[in-house]
């Protein structure tokens, strides 16, 4: 044969004699470039500016919270997988994302063991108990936060006040609003239910948008949260319907109930939750319509909790509750396959 | 007919992915392929019953001579692509991975054409039955890769009215450019072939479907269209736009019912290569003995569009293009999304071989998980053009829970590979789905047997 490569025995015409020269395997033979790790890397990249700014505002206290939370999450993942004789998969960065998300929902100035414990709980109870990545029902970061919130709620809502650095940045805002006694603007709303006060608070939405000194590390700037979301949307990693549906529902319902919609949108960790918690792959539905139902459900529960309960904020519990509904949504909201009439619901 | 969408507007269908197109050979003219010393022509190159050989060892055969045929309706005869001596009727490697009875012919280099090769007369004067008979005799099958016998495709059952002929020049598979070149170089022949198809099925309208990424072909076909009275539909450049069902949805807005055929919505889809082969048959008299295919990929030295005689060995074609380069990974017949990976290049080119894509190891080796791992990202669901739930089919198939696969409509999967392409954990979803389809069928058979036994007892 002309042009035969030396060293390759491909000369025989008879079947069954040749060395196996090529690899076989089922199509498709090329694959997209995204991997779990690359997706997690993008999520971390999207969260990084926000985290950096949060640390800048919160100082070393915030840094300690972030580091401890991430270390707790990653170490727990590794230890549990070692104990269960599974391959250690911390390289996929999903534990880092969980730790980081948890930290962003915590106030700076917590004692160092608390975020550490939060990270441990998030991975151990929130994820590994269910069998690891992809099997958990509830958002691990929020599981971690919920445990901390329930066990040490006074820390969770007031500790930022003891941080002198953060307090200095906050002074101007605090001076203008006579709500120093309560922890976050939302606590004001929930406890006092004073429309006027809330409206006054809305004047400070500007500061909420460009640098909000209130509350948690990840709530310092709505603008940076949105910037992170835009990154994920451009990379096609999250479905726009979740943040839009969630925030949209909250805004609409708040407006109907007579609260300032902008204030409702910008406070109480809603943006962080809608952009980064509700969009967690594992714990929201698989189809676009399912995701919309999920988002609207989150929005309704959030508003209900905000207006009619003593919880100062509803985002965390709203998302956790809807996480619980996700299997049900996935069971009943399925796409209509090509060539079929109507919905095929049996799953 | 109001039911074809406005073709001036962007056509929309759900799902699909954008693999790098790598259509490097798009500007390379179609070139005659290597002249093979030996051809090995499988007696089964189509969907349907395999042929019986009509020749014996040591017979002399000529180009275009029928060497295999079958009594079955769903089947297509095969013809010799060279003149020479039959040196064996042997079992040989086949692109599908099985061993198939094949006729081995040693070429004498004389290129003598069989006397039966003669234009059968003007097809526009023939009845649809006569056209179909000639198409069957010409051994024409779908050249897009499905290799369904064309005469069967062009025979709508009683009461089914075909209104539209779609000539598929979408060519959405990466690397492949043969159809593109055909449209640029043989546009008029394709249209004449399409007219024959139109006549055979009694349709009134022809639409040529082309993906946006072939502007020269679009311009040319539009000009021809103004002249000959057919339309051009410009499709978004998205895989699997050229898949029959996606194409029909994009152009007509209708969906082929599950388990049905394009005929059920009044449409026939044929590849541009098939239309050109029909032209060759009716106006040159030549049955299907060669085809245009693309040689491409980072594992082969030269990229080309070649007119290859059926039965030429793939390794001769690769050598003709300068041989292999780099560490060999996969040799794929067809495109990289749906083609069949060969473990040896000693397989013949058959009627359905639309390309030879050789990829290096680093391009095709993926770290697939040992077991199904799903992070529930929803990408497979979002990109599935058939609107299925690949992640569920994958996990049930991996767990061997066949009975769960029926309600998920696994049989509607066209195995386009979008789900596996886009899966971040690299689950081999198509493989799992194929295994699942078999498992489900096996189980259904078992259930039927049980039911029969039950009745008998
Ligand atoms: S499930 Fe089938 S039809 Fe859907 S993307 Fe996967 S291979 Fe294609
Ligand atoms: S693309 Fe892969 S990881 Fe994502 S949902 Fe589908 S099977 Fe799961």
């Amino acid at each position: 044969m002309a042009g035969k490569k030396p060293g390759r025995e491909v000369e025989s015409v008879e079947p069954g004699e040749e060395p196996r020269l090529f690899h076989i395997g089922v199509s498709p033979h090329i694959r997209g470039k995204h991997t779990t790790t690359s997706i997690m890397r993008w999520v971390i990249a999207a969260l990084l500016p926000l985290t950096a700014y949060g640390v800048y505002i919160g100082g070393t206290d915030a840094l300690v919270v972030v580091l401890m939370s991430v270390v707790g999450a990653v170490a727990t993942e590794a230890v549990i997988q070692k104990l269960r004789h599974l391959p250690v998969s911390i390289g996929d960065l999903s534990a880092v994302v969980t730790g980081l998300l948890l930290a962003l929902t915590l106030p700076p100035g917590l004692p160092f063991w608390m975020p550490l414990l939060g990270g441990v709980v998030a991975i151990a109870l929130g994820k590994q108990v269910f069998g690891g990545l992809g099997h958990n029902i509830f958002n691990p970061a929020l599981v971690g936060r919920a445990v901390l919130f329930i066990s040490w709620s006074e820390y969770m809502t007031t500790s930022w006040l003891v941080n002198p650095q953060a307090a200095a940045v906050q002074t101007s805002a605090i001076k203008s609003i006579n709500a120093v006694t309560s922890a976050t603007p939302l606590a004001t709303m929930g406890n006092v239910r004073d429309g006027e006060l809330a409206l006054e608070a809305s004047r400070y939405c500007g500061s909420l948008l460009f640098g909000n000194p209130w509350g948690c590390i990840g709530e310092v700037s709505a603008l940076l949260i949105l910037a992170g979301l835009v990154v994920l949307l451009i990379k096609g990693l999250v479905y726009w319907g979740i943040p839009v549906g969630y925030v949209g529902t909250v805004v609409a319902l708040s407006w109907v109930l007579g609260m300032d919609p902008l204030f409702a949108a910008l406070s109480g960790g809603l943006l962080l939750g809608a952009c980064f918690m509700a969009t967690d792959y594992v714990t929201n539905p698989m189809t676009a319509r399912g995701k919309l139902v999920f988002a609207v459900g989150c929005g309704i529960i959030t508003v209900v909790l905000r207006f009619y309960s003593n919880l100062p904020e509803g985002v965390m519990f709203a998302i956790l509750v809807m996480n619980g509904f996700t299997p049900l949504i996935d069971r009943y909201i399925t796409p209509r396959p090509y060539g079929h009439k109507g919905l095929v619901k049996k799953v | 007919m109001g039911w074809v969408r406005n073709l001036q507007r962007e056509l929309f269908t759900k799902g699909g992915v954008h693999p790098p197109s790598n259509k490097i050979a798009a500007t390379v003219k179609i070139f005659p392929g290597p002249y093979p010393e030996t051809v090995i022509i499988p007696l089964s190159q189509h969907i349907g019953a395999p042929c019986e050989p009509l020749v014996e060892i040591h017979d002399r055969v000529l180009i275009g001579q029928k060497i295999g045929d079958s009594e079955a309706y769903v089947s297509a005869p095969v013809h010799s692509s060279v003149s020479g001596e039959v040196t064996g009727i042997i079992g040989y490697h086949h692109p599908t991975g099985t061993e198939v009875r094949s006729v081995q012919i040693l070429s004498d280099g004389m290129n003598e054409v069989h006397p039966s090769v003669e234009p059968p007369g003007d097809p526009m004067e023939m009845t649809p039955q006569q056209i179909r008979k000639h198409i069957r005799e010409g051994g024409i099958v779908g050249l897009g890769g499905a290799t369904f016998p064309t005469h069967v495709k062009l025979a709508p059952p009683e009461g089914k009215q075909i209104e539209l002929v779609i000539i598929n020049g979408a060519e959405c598979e990466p690397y492949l450019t043969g159809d593109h070149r055909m449209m640029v170089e043989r546009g008029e022949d394709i249209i004449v072939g399409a007219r024959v198809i139109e006549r055979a099925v009694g349709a009134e309208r022809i639409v040529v479907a082309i993906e946006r990424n072939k502007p020269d072909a679009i311009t040319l076909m539009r000009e021809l269209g103004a002249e000959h009275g057919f339309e051009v539909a410009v499709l978004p450049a998205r895989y699997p736009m050229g898949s029959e069902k996606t194409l029909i949805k994009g152009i007509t807005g209708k969906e082929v019912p599950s388990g049905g055929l394009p005929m059920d919505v009044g449409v026939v889809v044929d590849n541009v290569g098939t239309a050109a082969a029909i032209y060759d048959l009716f106006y040159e008299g030549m049955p299907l003995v060669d085809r245009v295919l693309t040689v491409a990929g980072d594992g082969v030295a030269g990229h080309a569009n070649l007119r290859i005689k059926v039965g030429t060995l793939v390794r001769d074609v690769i050598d003709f293009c300068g041989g292999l380069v780099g560490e060999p990974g996969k040799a794929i017949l067809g495109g990289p999304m749906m083609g069949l990976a060969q473990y040896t290049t000693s397989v013949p080119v058959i009627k359905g071989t639309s390309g030879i894509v050789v990829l290096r190891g680093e391009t095709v080796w993926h770290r697939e998980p040992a077991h199904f791992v799903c992070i529930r990202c929803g990408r497979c669901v979002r990109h599935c053009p058939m609107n299925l739930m690949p992640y569920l089919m994958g996990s049930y198939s991996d767990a061997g829970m066949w009975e769960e696969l029926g309600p998920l409509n696994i049989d509607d999967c066209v195995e386009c590979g979008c789900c596996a392409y886009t899966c971040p954990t690299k689950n081999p979803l198509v493989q799992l789905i194929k295994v699942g389809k078999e498992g489900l069928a096996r189980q259904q058979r078992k259930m039927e047997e049980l039911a029969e036994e039950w009745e008998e007892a």
Side-chain angles (χ1 to χ4, degrees):
Chain A
M1 296 291 140
K4 179 169 69 82
K5 287 269 164 186
R8 288 227 171 87
E9 297 167 48
V10 288
E11 213 169 347
S12 162
V13 180
E14 298 312 314
E17 282 180 16
E18 281 155 49
R20 212 171 148 111
L21 185 59
F22 289 96
H23 287 256
I24 50 173
V26 175
S27 60
H29 307 291
I30 50 173
R31 297 290 178 88
K33 51 189 185 318
H34 271 307
T35 60
T36 309
T37 316
S38 76
I39 290 174
M40 294 301 166
R41 215 181 282 133
W42 275 109
V43 175
I44 294 172
L47 286 170
L48 223 46
L50 179 68
T51 315
Y53 188 58
V55 168
Y56 168 75
I57 296 281
T60 12
D61 285 350
L63 188 65
V64 166
V65 170
V66 173
L67 288 181
M68 283 297 129
S69 170
V70 171
V71 166
V74 174
T76 311
E77 176 119 314
V79 167
I80 292 182
Q81 284 174 334
K82 265 260 158 6
L83 288 180
R84 294 180 57 200
H85 302 290
L86 293 172
V88 174
S89 67
I90 53 174
D92 70 14
L93 300 181
S94 65
V96 177
V97 170
T98 301
L100 194 54
L101 281 174
L102 171 66
L104 292 179
T105 64
L106 299 177
L110 294 177
F112 79 94
W113 54 266
M114 215 187 269
L116 189 70
L117 183 72
V120 172
V121 168
I123 294 294
L125 275 186
K127 180 173 170 188
Q128 289 296 344
V129 151
F130 295 95
L133 183 63
H135 298 287
N136 47 304
I137 293 174
F138 300 102
N139 185 322
L142 288 182
V143 169
R145 182 176 199 263
V147 168
L148 296 185
F149 180 85
I150 292 163
S151 316
W152 294 281
S153 53
E154 73 281 13
Y155 275 103
M156 298 293 291
T157 45
T158 59
S159 61
W160 59 271
L161 276 177
V162 302
N163 176 358
Q165 242 169 310
V169 184
Q170 291 154 2
T171 318
S172 56
I174 294 171
K175 259 197 289 194
S176 329
I177 180 168
N178 54 353
V180 203
T181 44
S182 47
T184 73
L186 264 193
T188 312
M189 233 166 75
N191 296 341
V192 187
R193 287 200 195 108
D194 183 337
E196 242 179 58
L197 190 57
L199 274 182
E200 199 188 334
S202 77
R203 287 193 209 114
Y204 301 95
C205 284
S207 69
L208 291 173
L209 199 55
F210 297 108
N212 164 31
W214 309 75
C216 305
I217 299 171
E219 288 168 33
V220 286
S221 166
L223 222 51
L224 288 177
I225 296 177
L226 292 177
L229 176 69
V230 167
V231 170
L232 295 186
L233 286 177
I234 289 175
K235 298 302 292 179
L237 297 180
V238 297
Y239 176 58
W240 59 267
I242 293 183
V244 171
Y246 191 171
V247 176
T249 307
V250 170
V251 165
L253 277 182
S254 303
W255 182 72
V256 168
L257 291 172
M259 283 293 171
D260 183 43
L262 189 61
F263 178 69
L266 291 178
S267 52
L270 173 62
L271 277 185
L272 186 69
C275 298
F276 290 102
M277 299 286 186
T279 53
D280 168 45
Y281 283 155
V282 181
T283 54
N284 79 54
M286 297 292 267
T287 60
R289 278 181 308 135
K291 283 173 201 280
L292 275 179
V293 169
F294 174 86
V296 171
C298 283
I300 293 172
I301 298 176
T302 302
V303 173
V304 167
L305 288 182
R306 273 186 180 179
F307 283 86
Y308 301 108
S309 87
N310 285 324
L311 291 173
E313 54 171 305
V315 173
M316 173 177 76
F317 288 108
I319 296 178
L320 285 173
V321 167
M322 288 312 289
N323 285 163
F325 278 111
T326 293
L328 203 67
I329 295 175
D330 268 341
R331 195 180 165 90
Y332 288 103
I333 300 186
T334 56
R336 180 187 62 81
Y338 180 108
H340 285 264
K341 291 208 179 74
L343 294 173
V344 180
K345 281 184 186 166
K346 291 174 291 169
V347 172
Chain B
M1 261 177 300
W3 53 271
V4 172
R5 289 186 177 183
N6 181 353
L7 298 182
Q8 307 306 319
R9 266 195 259 130
E10 179 82 30
L11 300 162
F12 178 79
T13 56
K14 190 216 158 253
V17 290
H18 294 99
S21 75
N22 281 317
K23 302 217 183 234
I24 302 160
T27 51
V28 187
K29 273 218 169 75
I30 298 173
F31 198 77
Y35 195 87
E37 293 162 39
T38 308
V39 289
I40 293 174
I41 302 177
L43 287 164
S44 175
Q45 304 185 31
H46 47 260
I47 292 175
C51 297
E52 288 301 316
L54 301 176
V55 289
E56 275 169 27
I57 192 157
H58 304 315
D59 277 3
R60 179 150 197 268
V61 292
L62 303 175
I63 295 181
Q65 179 177 343
K66 189 152 81 170
I67 56 174
D69 204 347
S70 153
E71 302 270 290
Y73 174 61
V74 182
S75 183
V78 293
H79 302 78
S80 175
S81 55
V82 294
S83 65
E85 187 192 332
V86 175
T87 49
I89 293 172
I90 52 174
Y92 199 75
H93 301 307
H94 189 268
T96 52
T98 49
E99 218 175 273
V100 166
R101 201 134 79 112
S102 310
V103 180
Q104 187 181 35
I105 302 168
L106 185 68
S107 164
D108 57 12
M110 314 252 276
N111 269 337
E112 221 175 300
V113 175
H114 196 258
S116 70
V117 175
E118 236 174 46
D122 186 0
M124 289 306 157
E125 306 282 300
M126 292 181 192
T127 63
Q129 286 79 4
Q130 282 169 320
I131 293 178
R132 284 198 287 271
K133 193 174 136 267
H134 286 297
I135 286 178
R136 184 187 192 283
E137 281 305 295
I140 292 177
V141 299
L143 294 186
T147 65
F148 192 72
T150 301
H151 67 275
V152 183
K153 201 172 193 173
L154 299 188
E158 281 300 312
K160 285 240 163 79
Q161 177 64 31
I162 305 289
E163 295 171 69
L164 174 70
V165 174
I166 298 177
I167 298 298
N168 186 355
E171 205 167 46
C172 54
E173 276 268 10
Y175 293 99
L176 304 189
T177 51
D179 291 351
H180 181 180
R181 291 310 304 175
M182 287 277 250
M183 287 188 285
V184 173
E185 295 174 33
R186 300 191 60 195
E188 299 218 24
D189 299 353
I190 291 168
I191 291 316
V192 175
R195 285 270 177 250
V196 178
I197 296 172
E198 194 185 24
R199 186 171 171 81
V201 295
E204 301 139 20
R205 193 168 174 182
I206 298 176
V207 171
V208 179
I210 313 175
E211 271 193 1
R212 180 172 298 292
N213 58 7
K214 306 173 184 61
D216 49 344
I218 294 171
T219 319
L220 207 108
M221 291 313 261
R222 279 220 168 113
E223 278 167 22
L224 282 174
E227 208 175 302
H228 293 269
F230 65 90
E231 289 150 284
V232 174
V234 179
L235 309 167
R238 169 162 29 94
Y239 178 85
M241 208 58 229
S243 154
E244 201 167 69
K245 290 182 172 177
T246 312
L247 192 63
I248 291 172
K249 169 98 186 189
I251 289 178
T252 67
K254 292 186 186 177
E255 293 183 358
V256 180
S258 168
L261 291 170
M263 288 177 194
D264 296 330
V265 288
V267 181
V268 155
V269 183
D270 268 308
N271 182 265
V272 290
T274 314
I278 289 175
Y279 171 88
D280 289 343
L281 176 69
F282 283 98
Y283 295 90
E284 317 268 340
M286 187 56 84
L288 185 55
V289 294
D290 59 9
R291 67 156 297 144
V292 172
L293 58 77
T294 306
V295 183
D298 55 10
V300 59
H303 288 209
N305 301 300
L306 300 172
R307 193 162 180 149
I308 302 278
K309 289 173 181 299
V310 167
T312 309
L313 291 187
V314 167
R315 64 154 190 261
D316 293 349
V317 181
I318 291 175
D319 287 342
F320 184 76
C321 293
L324 301 168
V325 289
E327 172 206 19
K330 278 183 179 175
I332 301 154
L333 294 193
M337 292 299 285
M338 283 188 81
L340 298 165
Q342 307 295 320
Y343 69 90
T344 168
T345 49
S346 287
V347 281
V349 168
I350 60 169
K351 293 174 183 175
T353 310
S354 52
I356 299 173
V357 179
V358 189
L359 298 176
R360 295 188 192 184
E362 64 259 30
T363 318
V364 289
W365 291 344
H366 319 283
R367 249 196 246 167
E368 288 181 356
H371 269 287
F372 188 79
V373 180
C374 178
I375 59 168
R376 291 179 47 87
C377 66
R379 295 169 80 88
C380 53
V381 178
R382 178 152 39 113
H383 291 283
C384 176
M386 301 306 287
N387 250 340
L388 304 174
M389 306 267 256
Y391 76 106
L392 278 180
M393 299 194 284
S395 70
Y396 286 138
S397 167
D398 195 43
M401 293 158 72
W402 317 126
E403 67 283 357
E404 300 286 346
L405 296 170
L408 292 172
N409 301 297
I410 191 169
D411 288 325
D412 286 320
C413 167
V414 295
E415 295 173 15
C416 66
C418 290
C419 49
Y421 177 84
T422 184
C423 177
T425 64
K426 312 292 167 205
N427 284 322
L429 286 163
V430 176
Q431 183 175 343
L432 290 170
I433 288 170
K434 284 187 184 195
V435 171
K437 282 181 181 172
E438 278 166 30
L440 179 65
R442 221 172 15 216
Q443 200 186 37
Q444 280 166 349
R445 269 199 307 276
K446 216 182 343 176
M447 294 306 251
E448 275 160 28
E449 276 167 26
L450 277 181
E452 266 171 40
E453 272 174 35
W454 182 258
E455 262 167 39
E456 279 166 23

